[in-house]
Amino acid sequence: MMIAIVIILFIIVISLIIFNVRLHKKIQKYNNMNQKITNLYVVQDFINAIGETSTVEDKIKKINEILIERYEIKYSTIVVFDGAEYQIKASNVDPKHWDSLKKLHEVDMFKDSIETATPKYVTVNNENERLPYQQMEFGRAKSAIFFPLYIDNVYIGYWIIESGTPHDFDNVDTTVLEVIKENIVSVLKTVVHQKTLESIVRKDLFTGLNSEEYLYGKGKETIDQYTVSTICMFKIINIQQINKDCSRELGNKVITEISNFIKGNLSEDYIFVRYMGPKFVIAFSGVEANSVADFLNDLKDKIESMKIQLSLEEIETIDMEVKSRKRLSKELARDVAVPRLNFVISSYYKGTGLEEVLKKLEEYLDNANPNESDITNI
């Protein structure tokens, strides 16, 4: 009887062990699946953050907020080296500690991490200790992981996560953190290109208009507030003839007169830039193509009815050598330019390639009949 009871108990124990093992595997599988789902959500959030109508700095701050919320990280700081100095691009740490966080590349333990492109985990054993890189703070962080960041094998800065609990990251899944780090790098790589475009925007000398690059930075922020917009590109098709038959000074005045006229008749909600040479772009944000036809027809008629010439005062400012190479001032004063324009428009949908739309419009104007002066919707 006793033997039977022991056997039954043994079978029950074995069964419970098997059940617990299977349950553990299922829980582990569930946790892994849950982690993968979380990672997918984070990636999607990152993509949404990149696509938002915001500056580079705002995008980086946004992805840091996503990390903190999704992974319940106590402190997260992204530091980027801009070629001259280290700058904190995003952090939820009190700004009074930022000086220390900007100098982590000078700490010996992190120097090695940067050189070997490997993460560095540091922690304390009790509440009375402080992390080696902390100077005047004791209670804020008790453990941290430092991740050097690289774009195409080029060091660009670091990401550091911190906790107020000793040994808080002892059992953390470093594989997940590596995935997060790579996502951060992907975002930084994307926004670096945007930052470059934002930094090279310039004002055109004659018109005071922003250059083409404006469309891909600040301009796109405005355009992408709407689902559909209309992009118009026009070309002054007889500007070269005006320069040749009259003078380049008169050609420059034609460009400025047309630019000023359009600026004076264009809503502040729309974007007007000098695209390249005699080509200009108007972005009608949130307006469909059929709604701009009448406005463009009226604009075209009024500009092509202009008779533009240099005043005597303007002629007097022309360099004497230029005047002697061309003609006498009285002859210059008799020159009259009548501009002719060729327009092409196309719809732009938020989330698609603005540069592709502009390329298509430019190709049309460049390949159009030199005498074509029309408004074409493509």
Side-chain angles (χ1 to χ4, degrees):
M1 185 69 179
M2 184 62 70
I3 295 174
I5 294 174
V6 171
I7 292 172
I8 292 171
L9 289 174
F10 179 76
I11 292 171
I12 292 173
V13 170
I14 295 298
S15 298
L16 287 173
I17 291 172
I18 293 172
F19 174 78
N20 286 333
V21 169
R22 288 179 177 175
L23 182 62
H24 176 74
K25 287 182 178 179
K26 287 182 179 179
I27 292 173
Q28 190 65 40
K29 184 178 180 180
Y30 172 78
N31 287 337
N32 290 338
M33 186 178 295
N34 189 52
Q35 187 62 65
K36 288 178 180 179
I37 292 171
T38 299
N39 290 342
L40 286 173
Y41 278 132
V42 171
V43 171
Q44 183 61 52
D45 287 344
F46 277 10
I47 293 171
N48 293 338
I50 295 173
E52 285 179 350
T53 55
S54 55
T55 63
V56 168
E57 285 73 17
D58 288 340
K59 288 178 180 179
I60 298 175
K61 290 175 184 176
K62 180 66 176 178
I63 66 169
N64 200 49
E65 291 170 4
I66 293 168
L67 294 174
I68 293 165
E69 179 183 349
R70 288 287 188 184
Y71 294 104
E72 298 180 349
I73 297 172
K74 180 66 175 177
Y75 301 110
S76 176
T77 302
I78 299 172
V79 182
V80 175
F81 181 62
D82 65 2
E85 61 181 354
Y86 285 80
Q87 296 184 349
I88 290 184
K89 293 298 184 180
S91 180
N92 65 328
V93 176
D94 192 308
K96 67 183 180 182
H97 303 307
W98 284 13
D99 281 342
S100 297
L101 291 171
K102 284 194 296 184
K103 297 176 181 177
L104 297 185
H105 60 284
E106 299 176 355
V107 179
D108 289 338
M109 68 173 68
F110 296 141
K111 284 182 182 178
D112 181 64
S113 176
I114 293 170
E115 290 174 2
T116 58
T118 55
K120 180 68 176 180
Y121 176 36
V122 292
T123 187
V124 296
N125 293 315
N126 60 67
E127 294 291 340
N128 296 322
E129 295 181 79
R130 66 178 178 181
L131 296 173
Y133 63 87
Q134 294 178 315
Q135 297 176 359
M136 300 182 66
E137 47 179 327
F138 288 88
R140 184 180 66 81
K142 298 299 180 182
S143 55
I145 306 181
F146 176 93
F147 296 90
L149 303 176
Y150 288 80
I151 292 180
D152 299 329
N153 295 321
V154 176
Y155 169 69
I156 60 159
Y158 49 85
W159 170 47
I160 183 168
I161 59 174
E162 301 170 292
S163 169
T165 305
H167 295 280
D168 199 25
F169 300 121
D170 285 4
N171 299 314
V172 73
D173 187 347
T174 55
T175 304
V176 172
L177 291 176
E178 281 292 330
V179 171
I180 299 171
K181 184 199 74 173
E182 290 306 316
N183 286 331
I184 292 173
V185 170
S186 297
V187 172
L188 290 175
K189 190 173 183 178
T190 301
V191 297
V192 159
H193 297 312
Q194 180 183 340
K195 186 67 177 178
T196 301
L197 286 171
E198 290 176 358
S199 64
I200 62 176
V201 172
R202 63 194 185 284
K203 291 283 187 179
D204 177 61
L205 178 64
F206 296 109
T207 64
L209 298 174
N210 286 312
S211 62
E212 169 196 356
E213 292 79 14
Y214 182 84
L215 289 169
Y216 306 115
K218 290 287 187 181
K220 197 168 186 297
E221 288 182 29
T222 302
I223 298 169
D224 279 352
Q225 291 177 20
Y226 306 91
T227 303
V228 183
S229 297
T230 298
I231 307 298
C232 166
M233 184 180 291
F234 70 86
K235 180 179 181 180
I236 307 173
I237 58 176
N238 63 336
I239 193 69
Q240 291 182 339
Q241 198 65 35
I242 293 171
N243 290 339
K244 179 181 177 182
D245 294 345
C246 302
S247 66
R248 183 167 293 277
E249 289 73 25
L250 182 54
N252 290 339
K253 185 170 183 179
V254 167
I255 291 172
T256 56
E257 289 287 314
I258 292 174
S259 301
N260 290 334
F261 179 80
I262 292 176
K263 280 191 289 187
N265 287 273
L266 203 62
S267 167
E268 293 183 357
D269 297 329
Y270 305 144
I271 297 164
F272 182 34
V273 302
R274 187 171 185 181
Y275 187 75
M276 188 180 297
K279 292 190 281 283
F280 296 77
V281 169
I282 305 172
F284 296 94
S285 310
V287 181
E288 296 190 9
N290 57 1
S291 300
V292 304
D294 290 341
F295 172 77
L296 291 179
N297 275 308
D298 183 61
L299 196 68
K300 185 175 185 299
D301 289 343
K302 288 179 178 178
I303 291 174
E304 291 186 339
S305 66
M306 290 180 174
K307 291 180 172 56
I308 302 170
Q309 59 188 133
L310 295 171
S311 66
L312 288 174
E313 291 79 8
E314 289 170 327
I315 292 171
E316 288 174 359
T317 63
I318 299 174
D319 185 81
M320 288 303 296
E321 289 186 11
V322 174
K323 285 197 289 187
S324 63
R325 281 203 313 269
K326 295 185 179 179
R327 285 165 292 151
L328 299 175
S329 60
K330 288 184 179 180
E331 292 177 348
L332 286 170
R334 288 198 296 266
D335 286 338
V336 177
V338 179
R340 294 179 63 247
L341 311 179
N342 196 12
F343 283 77
V344 60
I345 63 175
S346 181
S347 296
Y348 164 75
Y349 299 90
K350 178 181 178 179
T352 60
L354 178 59
E355 65 280 2
E356 293 301 321
V357 174
L358 292 168
K359 182 180 178 182
K360 181 175 67 174
L361 297 178
E362 185 178 21
E363 285 178 351
Y364 179 88
L365 289 177
D366 288 343
N367 295 318
N369 187 305
N371 298 316
E372 179 182 321
S373 177
D374 208 344
I375 297 177
T376 306
N377 189 349
I378 60 173

mmCIF file of all heavy atoms in Angstrom, residues 113 118-120 145-149 155 157-161 174 177-178 181:
data_model
loop_
_atom_site.group_PDB
_atom_site.id
_atom_site.type_symbol
_atom_site.label_atom_id
_atom_site.label_comp_id
_atom_site.label_asym_id
_atom_site.label_seq_id
_atom_site.Cartn_x
_atom_site.Cartn_y
_atom_site.Cartn_z
ATOM 1 N N SER A 113 34.871 51.447 -24.869
ATOM 2 C CA SER A 113 33.614 51.051 -25.497
ATOM 3 C C SER A 113 33.481 51.650 -26.892
ATOM 4 O O SER A 113 33.043 50.990 -27.833
ATOM 5 C CB SER A 113 32.434 51.486 -24.630
ATOM 6 O OG SER A 113 31.207 51.206 -25.246
ATOM 7 N N THR A 118 31.480 48.415 -28.683
ATOM 8 C CA THR A 118 30.716 47.477 -27.858
ATOM 9 C C THR A 118 30.063 48.212 -26.691
ATOM 10 O O THR A 118 30.631 49.180 -26.162
ATOM 11 C CB THR A 118 31.620 46.365 -27.299
ATOM 12 O OG1 THR A 118 32.715 46.966 -26.579
ATOM 13 C CG2 THR A 118 32.155 45.483 -28.410
ATOM 14 N N PRO A 119 28.882 47.761 -26.252
ATOM 15 C CA PRO A 119 28.213 48.409 -25.119
ATOM 16 C C PRO A 119 29.009 48.221 -23.829
ATOM 17 O O PRO A 119 29.799 47.283 -23.702
ATOM 18 C CB PRO A 119 26.870 47.672 -25.036
ATOM 19 C CG PRO A 119 26.706 46.977 -26.337
ATOM 20 C CD PRO A 119 28.083 46.668 -26.829
ATOM 21 N N LYS A 120 28.802 49.109 -22.885
ATOM 22 C CA LYS A 120 29.461 49.022 -21.584
ATOM 23 C C LYS A 120 28.417 49.135 -20.476
ATOM 24 O O LYS A 120 27.677 50.124 -20.396
ATOM 25 C CB LYS A 120 30.497 50.147 -21.440
ATOM 26 C CG LYS A 120 31.233 50.149 -20.117
ATOM 27 C CD LYS A 120 32.154 48.964 -19.974
ATOM 28 C CE LYS A 120 32.954 49.019 -18.691
ATOM 29 N NZ LYS A 120 33.855 47.865 -18.531
ATOM 30 N N ILE A 145 23.831 51.537 -19.024
ATOM 31 C CA ILE A 145 24.440 50.864 -20.182
ATOM 32 C C ILE A 145 24.733 51.930 -21.228
ATOM 33 O O ILE A 145 23.855 52.710 -21.608
ATOM 34 C CB ILE A 145 23.534 49.774 -20.771
ATOM 35 C CG1 ILE A 145 23.107 48.771 -19.703
ATOM 36 C CG2 ILE A 145 24.269 49.031 -21.894
ATOM 37 C CD1 ILE A 145 22.216 47.655 -20.228
ATOM 38 N N PHE A 146 25.974 51.924 -21.693
ATOM 39 C CA PHE A 146 26.476 52.915 -22.650
ATOM 40 C C PHE A 146 26.595 52.242 -24.023
ATOM 41 O O PHE A 146 27.228 51.190 -24.163
ATOM 42 C CB PHE A 146 27.840 53.418 -22.175
ATOM 43 C CG PHE A 146 28.532 54.367 -23.106
ATOM 44 C CD1 PHE A 146 28.374 55.737 -22.972
ATOM 45 C CD2 PHE A 146 29.382 53.895 -24.107
ATOM 46 C CE1 PHE A 146 29.045 56.619 -23.816
ATOM 47 C CE2 PHE A 146 30.057 54.765 -24.953
ATOM 48 C CZ PHE A 146 29.888 56.134 -24.808
ATOM 49 N N PHE A 147 25.978 52.844 -25.033
ATOM 50 C CA PHE A 147 26.029 52.301 -26.398
ATOM 51 C C PHE A 147 26.667 53.321 -27.342
ATOM 52 O O PHE A 147 26.091 54.390 -27.574
ATOM 53 C CB PHE A 147 24.622 51.991 -26.926
ATOM 54 C CG PHE A 147 23.890 50.919 -26.175
ATOM 55 C CD1 PHE A 147 23.093 51.252 -25.084
ATOM 56 C CD2 PHE A 147 23.979 49.591 -26.554
ATOM 57 C CE1 PHE A 147 22.397 50.274 -24.391
ATOM 58 C CE2 PHE A 147 23.289 48.613 -25.872
ATOM 59 C CZ PHE A 147 22.499 48.949 -24.788
ATOM 60 N N PRO A 148 27.851 53.044 -27.894
ATOM 61 C CA PRO A 148 28.395 53.934 -28.928
ATOM 62 C C PRO A 148 27.587 53.792 -30.208
ATOM 63 O O PRO A 148 27.105 52.698 -30.519
ATOM 64 C CB PRO A 148 29.829 53.414 -29.119
ATOM 65 C CG PRO A 148 29.786 51.999 -28.673
ATOM 66 C CD PRO A 148 28.739 51.911 -27.601
ATOM 67 N N LEU A 149 27.404 54.882 -30.928
ATOM 68 C CA LEU A 149 26.598 54.887 -32.152
ATOM 69 C C LEU A 149 27.483 55.122 -33.374
ATOM 70 O O LEU A 149 28.348 56.004 -33.364
ATOM 71 C CB LEU A 149 25.519 55.971 -32.073
ATOM 72 C CG LEU A 149 24.558 55.899 -30.881
ATOM 73 C CD1 LEU A 149 23.610 57.099 -30.886
ATOM 74 C CD2 LEU A 149 23.767 54.596 -30.880
ATOM 75 N N TYR A 155 31.860 56.833 -36.237
ATOM 76 C CA TYR A 155 31.352 57.125 -34.896
ATOM 77 C C TYR A 155 30.642 58.477 -34.896
ATOM 78 O O TYR A 155 31.188 59.484 -35.359
ATOM 79 C CB TYR A 155 32.515 57.131 -33.905
ATOM 80 C CG TYR A 155 32.182 57.666 -32.535
ATOM 81 C CD1 TYR A 155 31.338 56.959 -31.682
ATOM 82 C CD2 TYR A 155 32.710 58.874 -32.091
ATOM 83 C CE1 TYR A 155 31.020 57.442 -30.423
ATOM 84 C CE2 TYR A 155 32.415 59.369 -30.839
ATOM 85 C CZ TYR A 155 31.555 58.647 -30.003
ATOM 86 O OH TYR A 155 31.251 59.137 -28.759
ATOM 87 N N GLY A 157 28.397 59.371 -31.979
ATOM 88 C CA GLY A 157 27.925 59.745 -30.647
ATOM 89 C C GLY A 157 27.563 58.522 -29.830
ATOM 90 O O GLY A 157 28.084 57.426 -30.070
ATOM 91 N N TYR A 158 26.671 58.689 -28.872
ATOM 92 C CA TYR A 158 26.319 57.560 -28.022
ATOM 93 C C TYR A 158 24.903 57.706 -27.455
ATOM 94 O O TYR A 158 24.324 58.790 -27.424
ATOM 95 C CB TYR A 158 27.320 57.377 -26.885
ATOM 96 C CG TYR A 158 27.653 58.632 -26.099
ATOM 97 C CD1 TYR A 158 26.863 59.050 -25.032
ATOM 98 C CD2 TYR A 158 28.783 59.401 -26.422
ATOM 99 C CE1 TYR A 158 27.174 60.187 -24.300
ATOM 100 C CE2 TYR A 158 29.098 60.545 -25.702
ATOM 101 C CZ TYR A 158 28.288 60.936 -24.640
ATOM 102 O OH TYR A 158 28.589 62.060 -23.919
ATOM 103 N N TRP A 159 24.401 56.560 -27.009
ATOM 104 C CA TRP A 159 23.108 56.482 -26.328
ATOM 105 C C TRP A 159 23.361 55.829 -24.973
ATOM 106 O O TRP A 159 24.035 54.808 -24.890
ATOM 107 C CB TRP A 159 22.133 55.640 -27.152
ATOM 108 C CG TRP A 159 20.845 55.282 -26.459
ATOM 109 C CD1 TRP A 159 20.030 56.104 -25.761
ATOM 110 C CD2 TRP A 159 20.217 53.983 -26.427
ATOM 111 N NE1 TRP A 159 18.930 55.423 -25.280
ATOM 112 C CE2 TRP A 159 19.025 54.106 -25.681
ATOM 113 C CE3 TRP A 159 20.555 52.736 -26.950
ATOM 114 C CZ2 TRP A 159 18.169 53.041 -25.443
ATOM 115 C CZ3 TRP A 159 19.700 51.667 -26.722
ATOM 116 C CH2 TRP A 159 18.522 51.814 -25.985
ATOM 117 N N ILE A 160 22.857 56.425 -23.907
ATOM 118 C CA ILE A 160 23.040 55.849 -22.578
ATOM 119 C C ILE A 160 21.696 55.763 -21.873
ATOM 120 O O ILE A 160 20.904 56.709 -21.884
ATOM 121 C CB ILE A 160 24.050 56.666 -21.725
ATOM 122 C CG1 ILE A 160 24.262 55.966 -20.377
ATOM 123 C CG2 ILE A 160 23.633 58.113 -21.580
ATOM 124 C CD1 ILE A 160 25.431 56.525 -19.584
ATOM 125 N N ILE A 161 21.433 54.567 -21.306
ATOM 126 C CA ILE A 161 20.228 54.387 -20.490
ATOM 127 C C ILE A 161 20.676 54.194 -19.045
ATOM 128 O O ILE A 161 21.712 53.579 -18.774
ATOM 129 C CB ILE A 161 19.372 53.198 -20.971
ATOM 130 C CG1 ILE A 161 20.165 51.890 -20.941
ATOM 131 C CG2 ILE A 161 18.824 53.465 -22.355
ATOM 132 C CD1 ILE A 161 19.319 50.660 -21.262
ATOM 133 N N THR A 174 20.076 41.966 -23.825
ATOM 134 C CA THR A 174 20.940 42.883 -24.597
ATOM 135 C C THR A 174 20.643 42.822 -26.089
ATOM 136 O O THR A 174 20.899 43.787 -26.815
ATOM 137 C CB THR A 174 22.423 42.548 -24.358
ATOM 138 O OG1 THR A 174 22.646 41.162 -24.673
ATOM 139 C CG2 THR A 174 22.812 42.812 -22.919
ATOM 140 N N LEU A 177 18.120 45.393 -26.732
ATOM 141 C CA LEU A 177 18.728 46.724 -26.664
ATOM 142 C C LEU A 177 19.556 47.024 -27.907
ATOM 143 O O LEU A 177 19.605 48.167 -28.373
ATOM 144 C CB LEU A 177 19.598 46.841 -25.407
ATOM 145 C CG LEU A 177 18.835 46.858 -24.074
ATOM 146 C CD1 LEU A 177 19.808 46.885 -22.910
ATOM 147 C CD2 LEU A 177 17.882 48.041 -23.996
ATOM 148 N N GLU A 178 20.217 46.011 -28.453
ATOM 149 C CA GLU A 178 20.992 46.198 -29.682
ATOM 150 C C GLU A 178 20.068 46.557 -30.844
ATOM 151 O O GLU A 178 20.403 47.386 -31.693
ATOM 152 C CB GLU A 178 21.785 44.936 -30.009
ATOM 153 C CG GLU A 178 23.048 44.767 -29.192
ATOM 154 C CD GLU A 178 24.107 45.817 -29.525
ATOM 155 O OE1 GLU A 178 24.146 46.286 -30.678
ATOM 156 O OE2 GLU A 178 24.884 46.175 -28.629
ATOM 157 N N LYS A 181 19.105 50.082 -30.411
ATOM 158 C CA LYS A 181 20.233 50.942 -30.787
ATOM 159 C C LYS A 181 20.311 51.101 -32.301
ATOM 160 O O LYS A 181 20.511 52.214 -32.815
ATOM 161 C CB LYS A 181 21.542 50.352 -30.257
ATOM 162 C CG LYS A 181 22.761 51.251 -30.516
ATOM 163 C CD LYS A 181 24.061 50.492 -30.413
ATOM 164 C CE LYS A 181 24.261 49.606 -31.625
ATOM 165 N NZ LYS A 181 25.585 48.971 -31.666
#
